């Protein structure tokens, strides 16, 4: 297997930085090329054809770099376009949904645990998490599309009254849960607020999940201390760099 040194990371916007954060914590790549399609975010309300077309365009972009692996740090793209990308890519392409479902299985042994799957409309409508988790034997699954969190994060609003009201809007009446899948890479930036709302539950985070998956399936190891990151965006790359500076 090729040694994984240089990774491409793709998201519709700034959300994929939550995946970069997990990668940096574990030091598994020497270099990262980050590409956010900020001109066209959000992807979540778009249909499969559009998301696939945008993802294939991103793949063209990554052909300019000699990457060893492409990480789709976007659940919406992972839900709809991963097979198409794999058909044409000359390097491995990994999405975040399967790793997220595996992370949940590793964390929650009780098959009757109440598990809330959140994500964009694309991710929730695809039922990808639900199907994998049902195959794993989980019986108590709830799905809620929570798309309003995406523009909040893109606007740098990670806590406070507005986030609290959106939490209320989506989750009022859900009751106690045992685990929550943050099925959108924008959501971990709101982690503090999720914890405030739900208390002590297992939070499944796409970034941590994919790092675990890369270690197990691609023999990635903690080897690099100062990962070099280059940022590219289809619009306003300075904003992306600012968020990265604050968040990473
Ligand atoms: N961060 C993305 C995801 O994981 C996409 C959010 C969006 O563009 O709607 O689904």
């Amino acid at each position: 297997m090729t040694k994984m040194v240089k990774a491409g990371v793709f998201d519709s916007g700034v959300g994929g930085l939550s995946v970069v954060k997990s990668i940096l914590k574990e030091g598994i790549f020497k270099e990262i090329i980050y590409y956010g399609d900020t001109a066209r975010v959000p992807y979540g309300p778009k249909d499969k054809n559009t998301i696939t077309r945008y993802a294939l365009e991103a793949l063209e972009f990554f052909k300019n770099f000699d990457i060893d692996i492409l990480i789709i740090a976007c659940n919406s793209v992972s839900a709809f376009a991963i097979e198409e990308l794999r058909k044409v890519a000359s390097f491995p392409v990994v999405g975040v949904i399967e790793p997220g479902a595996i992370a949940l299985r590793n964390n929650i042994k009780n098959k009757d645990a109440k598990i809330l799957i959140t994500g964009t409309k694309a991710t929730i409508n695809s039922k990808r998490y639900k199907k994998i988790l049902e195959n794993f034997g989980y019986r108590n699954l709830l799905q809620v599309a929570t798309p309003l969190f995406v523009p909040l994060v893109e606007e740098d609003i990670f806590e406070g009254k507005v986030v609290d009201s959106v939490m209320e809007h989506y989750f009022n009446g859900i009751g106690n849960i045992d685990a929550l899948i943050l099925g959108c890479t924008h959501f971990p930036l709101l982690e503090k607020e999720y914890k405030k709302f739900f208390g002590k539950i297992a939070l499944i985070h796409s970034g941590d999940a994919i790092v675990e998956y890369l270690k197990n399936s691609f023999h990635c190891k903690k080897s690099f201390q100062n990962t070099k990151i280059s940022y590219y965006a289809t619009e306003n790359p300075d904003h992306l760099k600012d968020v990265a500076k604050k968040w990473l």
Side-chain angles (χ1 to χ4, degrees):
M1 190 184 285
T2 323
K3 197 159 186 291
M4 298 292 155
V5 175
K6 187 170 176 179
V9 176
F10 169 53
D11 180 43
S12 57
V14 302
L17 292 173
S18 66
V19 173
V20 171
K21 191 167 181 166
S22 302
I23 293 174
L24 295 183
K25 204 163 63 189
E26 287 300 306
I28 56 171
F29 293 111
K30 188 174 182 195
E31 190 173 349
I32 291 173
I33 308 293
Y34 186 95
Y35 179 62
D37 191 3
T38 48
R40 301 190 290 200
V41 67
Y43 278 16
K46 297 180 172 80
D47 69 11
K48 183 176 187 313
N49 287 344
T50 305
I51 292 176
T52 305
R53 177 160 51 91
Y54 290 173
L56 289 169
E57 285 172 20
L59 188 66
E60 281 304 307
F61 168 83
F62 281 108
K63 285 185 184 162
N64 296 309
F65 304 88
D66 197 18
I67 58 171
D68 301 313
I69 187 165
L70 177 59
I71 297 169
I72 304 300
C74 175
N75 285 267
S76 310
V77 174
S78 304
F80 279 150
I82 209 90
E83 285 83 13
E84 292 302 316
L85 290 169
R86 283 183 182 146
K87 271 187 215 157
V88 289
S90 55
F91 35 73
V93 179
V94 288
V96 280
I97 293 189
E98 198 196 340
I102 294 172
L104 182 113
R105 185 176 57 183
N106 292 340
N107 265 274
I108 305 286
K109 302 293 172 209
N110 176 5
K111 303 288 190 216
D112 288 314
K114 188 170 167 189
I115 295 155
L116 175 61
I117 305 164
T118 61
T120 63
K121 282 187 181 145
T123 301
I124 296 304
N125 291 341
S126 80
K127 299 196 176 74
R128 280 281 168 119
Y129 278 108
K130 191 164 181 276
K131 285 181 195 154
I132 303 176
L133 292 174
E134 278 170 354
N135 279 338
F136 288 168
Y138 291 93
R139 292 178 277 265
N140 200 351
L141 303 169
L142 279 174
Q143 292 202 111
V144 181
T146 58
L148 286 174
F149 290 134
V150 177
L152 286 178
V153 169
E154 288 289 327
E155 283 298 322
D156 258 4
I157 302 171
F158 303 148
E159 54 190 305
K161 270 197 210 142
V162 187
V163 182
D164 289 345
S165 324
V166 179
M167 290 264 163
E168 277 290 326
H169 171 73
Y170 286 132
F171 301 136
N172 207 2
I174 293 278
N176 290 339
I177 54 170
D178 300 297
L180 172 70
I181 295 195
L182 300 170
C184 170
T185 53
H186 282 70
F187 299 172
L189 286 93
L190 306 167
E191 195 169 339
K192 231 167 94 182
E193 295 287 317
Y194 279 101
K195 285 187 176 151
K196 202 167 88 187
F197 193 90
F198 286 107
K200 211 173 162 311
I201 52 162
L203 281 182
I204 304 300
H205 177 306
S206 297
D208 295 348
I210 202 162
V211 167
E212 234 5 74
Y213 183 84
L214 290 168
K215 284 181 177 169
N216 292 329
S217 305
F218 289 88
H219 310 298
C220 291
K221 280 197 213 61
K222 197 166 191 151
S223 321
F224 307 100
Q225 273 182 351
N226 294 309
T227 303
K228 176 174 180 246
I229 315 178
S230 312
Y231 296 100
Y232 298 88
T234 46
E235 188 176 86
N236 202 353
D238 288 341
H239 174 63
L240 176 68
K241 284 179 200 161
D242 278 352
V243 180
K245 216 186 274 169
K246 253 191 258 167
W247 176 248
L248 297 180

